[in-house]
Amino acid sequence: MTVGKILESKGSEIIALEDSSTVLEVAKLLGERRIGAIPIMHGNKLCGIISERDVVRGLAIRGGAVLADGVSSLMTKSVITCSIDDSIEQLMVMMTERRIRHVPVIKDGAVVGMISIGDVVKERMQETEQEAEALKAYISSA
C-alpha cells in the first residue's frame, strides 16, 4: 500500500495557511477543523508546518502574547515530507524515527495532501483485518 492509495481513500483536501498568518489564526483553524497540524505556504511553496504541540509550547513559554506573533515564530521550517509513491511501511518508519505525526505529501514539487499517524494506523488495521479474513477463508476451504 502506498501513500497515494491512502489519499485516494481519505481524500486530498489541503487545509493550509499563508506564512503571513498569526498563531491565533492557526489555533482557530486547528480547533475548527479538528486537525493536529497545518502546512504553512508562501504562495504555492511549502515553507513550514505547525502543530498543536507547537502552539502549546509557545503558550507555555510566552503566554497569551504568542497568539499575536506570526506563524513563523513557532512553525517547523525544515519540513519532513513524503511522496505519493512511498509505502506505508516507509512512512511508519519515518514517522517513528522522526517522532512526527503529520507529513505533507509532495508530488511534482506541490503539496497534494497530508497524512497523519491516524491515517497510517487505520490503513494498517484494515490491511491486517483483510489478511486475517483471507487466512480464515483459506483454512476453512482446505
Side-chain angles (χ1 to χ4, degrees):
M1 177 64 72
T2 65
V3 169
K5 291 290 182 190
I6 293 177
L7 287 182
E8 284 178 20
S9 64
K10 83 167 237 174
S12 57
E13 177 186 16
I14 301 162
I15 300 165
L17 285 172
E18 285 290 318
D19 59 347
S20 59
S21 301
T22 65
V23 174
L24 178 59
E25 291 172 303
V26 169
K28 284 182 179 179
L29 188 57
L30 288 169
E32 288 168 3
R33 298 304 295 260
R34 299 187 60 159
I35 54 177
I38 300 172
I40 304 300
M41 310 293 289
H42 182 78
N44 291 330
K45 183 181 181 297
L46 177 66
C47 62
I49 188 167
I50 189 164
S51 70
E52 294 169 312
R53 287 180 174 189
D54 296 324
V55 174
V56 169
R57 282 187 197 110
L59 286 166
I61 293 167
R62 296 218 31 246
V66 76
L67 295 173
D69 289 352
V71 70
S72 65
S73 69
L74 298 181
M75 74 181 187
T76 299
K77 294 176 180 129
S78 282
V79 183
I80 305 298
T81 63
C82 66
S83 156
I84 60 169
D85 298 320
D86 288 343
S87 71
I88 291 186
E89 290 77 17
Q90 289 171 308
L91 190 58
M92 287 172 57
V93 167
M94 180 177 59
M95 290 174 124
T96 302
E97 287 176 352
R98 305 280 185 142
R99 298 184 60 161
I100 55 176
R101 296 178 176 204
H102 302 87
V103 180
V105 183
I106 306 295
K107 180 180 178 185
D108 300 326
V111 178
V112 295
M114 282 281 284
I115 297 289
S116 73
I117 192 70
D119 299 327
V120 174
V121 168
K122 179 182 174 187
E123 188 57 43
R124 279 300 295 144
M125 287 177 62
Q126 288 175 347
E127 283 181 2
T128 302
E129 288 172 9
Q130 290 171 353
E131 289 168 4
E133 289 301 318
L135 284 172
K136 285 180 191 175
Y138 176 76
I139 290 168
S140 65
S141 69

